[in-house]
Amino acid sequence: MHHSIEVEHLSFSYPDGHPALVDVSLHIAPGEKVALVGPNGAGKSTLVLHLNGILSGDGRVQVCGLEVGEKTLGRVRAAVGLVFQNPDDQLFSPTVYEDVAFGPLYQGLGPEEVVERVASALSAVSMQPYARRVSHHLSVGEKKRIAIATVLSMTPEVLVLDEPTSGLDPRARRSLIHLLCDLPMTMLVSSHDLAMVRELLPRMVIMDEGRIVADGPTQALMQDGRLLEAHGLEMP
Amino acid sequence: MHIPDGFLSTLVAVIFWGFSAIAVAYALRRVGKDLGERQVPLMGVLAAAIFAGQLLNFSVTGGTSGHLLGAALATILLGPWAAVIVLTSVVSIQALIFQDGGLLALGANLFNMAVIGVTVSYFVYTSVKKLARGRSWGLFVGGFLAAWLSIVVASLSAALQLALSGTSPANISVPAMSGIHMLIGIGEGLITVGALAFLYSARRDLFTPVGSSPKGGALVWVFGLAIALALAVLSPLASTHPDGLMWVARQHGFLDAARAPFYKVLPSYIFPGISNKAVSTIAASILGTLLVFGVALGVAYLRRKKVV
Amino acid sequence: MDGRAKFLLTVAFILTVSLTPMAAWPIYILLFALVLSVEILSALGIWYVLKRALLALPFMLAAFPVIFTVGQTTLFSFSLGAWTLTAHSEGLERFISIAVKSWLSVQAAILMAASTPFPELLQAMRAVGIPRLLVSMFGMMWRYSFVLVDEALRLMRARAARSGQSSQAGAKAGGSVLWRARLTGGMAGSLFLRAFERSDRIYVAMLSRGYDGEVRSVPLPPMTSATWAELLAGLACLGLLLFSGILFWG
């Protein structure tokens, strides 16, 4: 059985020479739910962008048994669903329906299947009645749900979320946590919300200055106050 | 400067639709080559930014305020082809959603703001920049002049379109429009320079690649020069000899008139039995008015039935 | 009603208004009846549409001089200092015609815009053959104009919140016009910069869902026969009005 995500000795520097990832290795098994935490600028987003080939650095990245590269790009992007932090960036179509249909359309699916995919993705996030709505008029919580639906419609094996709970009020945050809890796929969640991490994600990876500095069971790492403090984190 | 529907004769409106359609189609092709797959998000969002930027106003004096149109800014930041598309989006959406400018007149408005605005900006900006030889004053002086002149030339073009349509005599509309827009242009220039200064200090990298010289830039430059010159020569000419333009307007007025006999197969009276034109006009008006009420009442009645 | 039919009928209506000869008053009235009845149907509120339609009124200034320059039949004349202005009835006729035509056209455009969700208008534009690339750009611009307008309003609010007046005597609030204009320019610049950065993020979000540069969109639903009937009836009606307008007043 292959791992869902395999990253081996990945390094990456931005064009201005600033190193963002330094020799990062990470293995995530199918069905695992993993948190990615660390201060701003630690390299979390850069790592996440490598997982579906938007950035490519030195080293090896394998996703669901596919080597990430020019040739596999299309299949990799269907296998890994990326949900970005700001839903206004993710929802770029005039209506909710068109946004959720975007991924399946680019996969080249037939019209009936697109309709079906949209319906099931929207029902997975309990937003079926919103299909004809205009994205701008939704609340932040609703936008986050739709943003998740836009990748669910591509039936990914791995779901990667960037700050899913940022900007949500407690009720919307709670309902989003329930939603994530119910989704069956492998999950990698980058977040500052350690309370959510403790509740939802049994494994935790801490990054700082482009390196992975700790990787282990969430419960155990959370006890280590000194480790958390050293990397700008606070116990919830 | 957004000409509403009703002010342009159909012929003028259609001709300028043709010009604009050709220019936009060509720009679309060029943009596809230059920007590749990034084009949709980049231009879509920047069009929205110009649209939103037009809301930013500053008080000038006594209740009037200046605000941005953005042709020069878009041209400097994106290059001429993308700027044409971005302004096309802005002007079209304004017409479609806010009725800022008419739909039939959209062709002429696109021509003034997207085509003339961009080409004249490009011509002025690149010329001044060349004179400055890479020193930073070229950016600001060029930006100011490009913004100012693009507004003035676009308004001249609008004035001439109105005169060609026989809507407004050139000896009045040309000086009036250009006079107002010479003032508005100063505001445009100042804001453009302010925006350029901000972007220059925050993201200098935006200026080097795009501003250099995109493919087909020479064509735009020549076109901008030609338009600026043509309008500079035509406008004073038109305003001192308004009869010339009126003559043109009358010419296609004649075209309309030339059709008329063709249709006049009916006898010279309009309503059977009524030979006086005035009386028959009144009769037709009354009939029309009755029809209005009939239709309106009928519709209201139908609606009431639907509600129940 | 189908957005595509509405779009075509609106364009046809405005074209008809434009082609109708000057001073064809009864035709104007009939066209007005047409647009008025649709206004009643649309439940937008007649006053709302009629009021908004006055939008183009300031532009009438541009057409005002035709009263004095077109035609021979003297209506009245008066002197203003050294000038003597002579109003002609042909000119007046023209002026009023232009005003009426503009007012009718704007009403039709308002009706379409207010009664059709923008995504449907986009579909209509695709259906009449406007390039997909342009249409998808319109769509994206529309989507983000909300976001960026919010941003612009926040910038202006922040400026207003700090535009205080000093209690010190002699301190003139507001600075010079030049300074204010430059400041506004800076705001526009930062709006642009944010838009640039946002377009980067959107591009990445599109890529991660398989975007490859080609524009693909949801297929258009077919036009129903009812829509066709509405469309054809509307066009026939307009054609008839136009024909009689040209026949009697051309």
Side-chain angles (χ1 to χ4, degrees), chain C residues 3-242:
Chain C
R4 284 165 285 187
K6 268 193 262 186
F7 183 72
L8 284 175
L9 284 175
T10 306
V11 172
F13 181 86
I14 294 174
L15 196 64
T16 306
V17 171
S18 173
L19 282 170
T20 304
M22 293 289 166
W25 311 117
I27 301 293
Y28 293 166
I29 291 174
L30 290 175
L31 286 166
F32 182 58
L34 209 61
V35 78
L36 194 68
S37 50
V38 179
E39 272 158 32
I40 298 172
L41 251 178
S42 71
L44 283 171
I46 298 185
W47 290 119
Y48 166 77
V49 180
L50 293 186
K51 250 199 264 166
R52 280 222 46 196
L54 295 177
L55 199 87
L57 210 61
F59 218 86
M60 284 314 298
L61 266 180
F64 190 67
V66 289
I67 298 180
F68 305 103
T69 54
V70 171
Q72 286 86 37
T73 325
T74 304
L75 204 59
F76 61 88
S77 70
F78 61 92
S79 21
L80 198 81
W83 296 328
T84 305
L85 289 172
T86 311
H88 304 289
S89 57
E90 288 92 341
L92 189 65
E93 226 171 51
R94 206 178 172 85
F95 176 72
I96 297 175
S97 297
I98 291 170
V100 170
K101 282 177 161 202
S102 152
W103 191 55
L104 286 174
S105 307
V106 175
Q107 281 185 54
I110 290 174
L111 264 179
M112 176 181 76
S115 69
T116 321
F118 192 71
E120 264 184 52
L121 275 185
L122 289 175
Q123 277 190 354
M125 285 188 256
R126 260 169 67 203
V128 299
I130 294 171
R132 271 178 179 210
L133 184 65
L134 207 56
V135 175
S136 64
M137 209 115 62
F138 285 176
M140 194 160 283
M141 170 186 165
W142 183 73
R143 165 75 182 91
Y144 285 104
S145 61
F146 289 112
V147 177
L148 291 174
V149 163
D150 280 352
E151 242 164 64
L153 292 178
R154 279 200 297 273
L155 282 170
M156 296 224 280
R157 206 177 302 143
R159 179 182 63 177
R162 280 188 282 155
S163 299
Q165 229 164 351
S166 169
S167 56
Q168 226 172 324
K172 186 175 152 287
S176 68
V177 175
L178 220 68
W179 179 74
R180 284 202 296 274
R182 242 200 44 219
L183 205 72
T184 310
M187 284 159 66
S190 77
L191 198 66
F192 257 67
L193 191 55
R194 291 186 206 180
F196 260 113
E197 285 161 359
R198 186 181 289 277
S199 82
D200 269 344
R201 296 197 300 268
I202 294 165
Y203 177 58
V204 167
M206 289 171 84
L207 276 186
S208 76
R209 282 194 266 157
Y211 178 69
D212 53 9
E214 202 187 314
V215 178
R216 278 173 230 177
S217 15
V218 183
L220 295 169
M223 297 255 278
T224 59
S225 52
T227 305
W228 276 114
E230 281 166 350
L231 183 59
L232 291 178
L235 288 178
C237 188
L238 288 171
L240 197 70
L241 282 177
L242 180 60

Side-chain angles (χ1 to χ4, degrees), chain B residues 20-90:
Chain B
S20 301
I22 293 169
V24 171
Y26 189 67
L28 266 178
R29 274 192 41 209
R30 300 305 300 234
V31 158
K33 280 183 199 151
D34 293 351
L35 285 175
E37 50 189 44
R38 302 192 51 120
Q39 55 184 339
V40 174
L42 181 63
M43 295 197 291
V45 176
L46 281 179
I50 290 200
F51 177 79
Q54 295 185 346
L55 290 176
L56 299 171
N57 54 15
F58 65 100
S59 59
V60 176
T61 174
T64 59
S65 63
H67 74 95
L68 185 76
L69 279 168
L73 195 55
T75 310
I76 294 169
L77 291 174
L78 295 170
W81 305 116
V84 168
I85 304 300
V86 163
L87 280 153
T88 298
S89 304
V90 173

Side-chain angles (χ1 to χ4, degrees), chain B residues 15-302:
Chain B
I15 287 175
F16 280 98
W17 255 117
F19 285 154
S20 301
I22 293 169
V24 171
Y26 189 67
L28 266 178
R29 274 192 41 209
R30 300 305 300 234
V31 158
K33 280 183 199 151
D34 293 351
L35 285 175
E37 50 189 44
R38 302 192 51 120
Q39 55 184 339
V40 174
L42 181 63
M43 295 197 291
V45 176
L46 281 179
I50 290 200
F51 177 79
Q54 295 185 346
L55 290 176
L56 299 171
N57 54 15
F58 65 100
S59 59
V60 176
T61 174
T64 59
S65 63
H67 74 95
L68 185 76
L69 279 168
L73 195 55
T75 310
I76 294 169
L77 291 174
L78 295 170
W81 305 116
V84 168
I85 304 300
V86 163
L87 280 153
T88 298
S89 304
V90 173
V91 175
S92 306
I93 301 281
Q94 282 171 335
L96 277 169
I97 302 188
F98 301 100
Q99 291 82 46
D100 214 353
L103 292 178
L104 201 61
L106 181 58
N109 286 329
L110 284 178
F111 187 77
N112 299 341
M113 283 177 267
V115 180
I116 292 190
V118 168
T119 50
V120 170
S121 297
Y122 183 78
F123 155 69
V124 174
Y125 176 69
T126 48
S127 308
V128 174
K129 250 195 111 183
K130 233 168 232 157
L131 282 176
R133 291 167 206 249
R135 273 163 292 179
S136 65
W137 63 262
L139 175 69
F140 301 118
V141 173
F144 180 85
L145 289 178
W148 184 79
L149 198 69
S150 68
I151 297 283
V152 174
V153 175
S155 77
L156 284 178
S157 164
L160 289 180
Q161 284 160 351
L162 288 175
L164 266 176
S165 302
T167 304
S168 188
N171 57 342
I172 295 169
S173 67
V174 168
M177 285 283 268
S178 60
I180 293 170
H181 285 91
M182 277 176 192
L183 289 176
I184 293 179
I186 294 177
E188 172 85 5
L190 289 176
I191 301 185
T192 304
V193 169
L196 289 173
F198 178 90
L199 290 169
Y200 190 69
S201 59
R203 283 282 298 275
R204 203 158 297 190
D205 57 302
L206 291 177
F207 291 98
T208 32
V210 186
S212 54
S213 94
K215 280 179 203 141
L219 178 70
V220 181
W221 191 88
V222 170
F223 193 72
L225 173 67
I227 282 192
L229 276 180
L231 285 173
V233 173
L234 260 179
S235 306
L237 212 70
S239 50
T240 46
H241 304 279
D243 302 345
L245 269 178
M246 269 309 179
W247 181 80
V248 176
R250 229 181 294 129
Q251 284 299 301
H252 76 253
F254 282 145
L255 283 180
D256 288 337
R259 275 203 319 262
F262 182 74
Y263 292 112
K264 286 215 167 120
V265 281
L266 286 191
S268 60
Y269 51 83
I270 297 166
F271 265 73
I274 307 173
S275 53
N276 185 309
K277 191 169 177 191
V279 175
S280 67
T281 307
I282 292 169
S285 310
I286 292 172
L287 186 73
T289 315
L290 286 177
L291 260 166
V292 173
F293 281 109
V295 171
L297 278 177
V299 167
Y301 179 70
L302 279 175

Side-chain angles (χ1 to χ4, degrees), chain A residues 36-57:
Chain A
L36 188 59
V37 300
N40 288 337
K44 301 183 305 260
S45 302
T46 312
L47 177 59
V48 162
L49 290 177
H50 277 85
L51 296 180
N52 73 10
I54 287 165
L55 295 178
S56 63

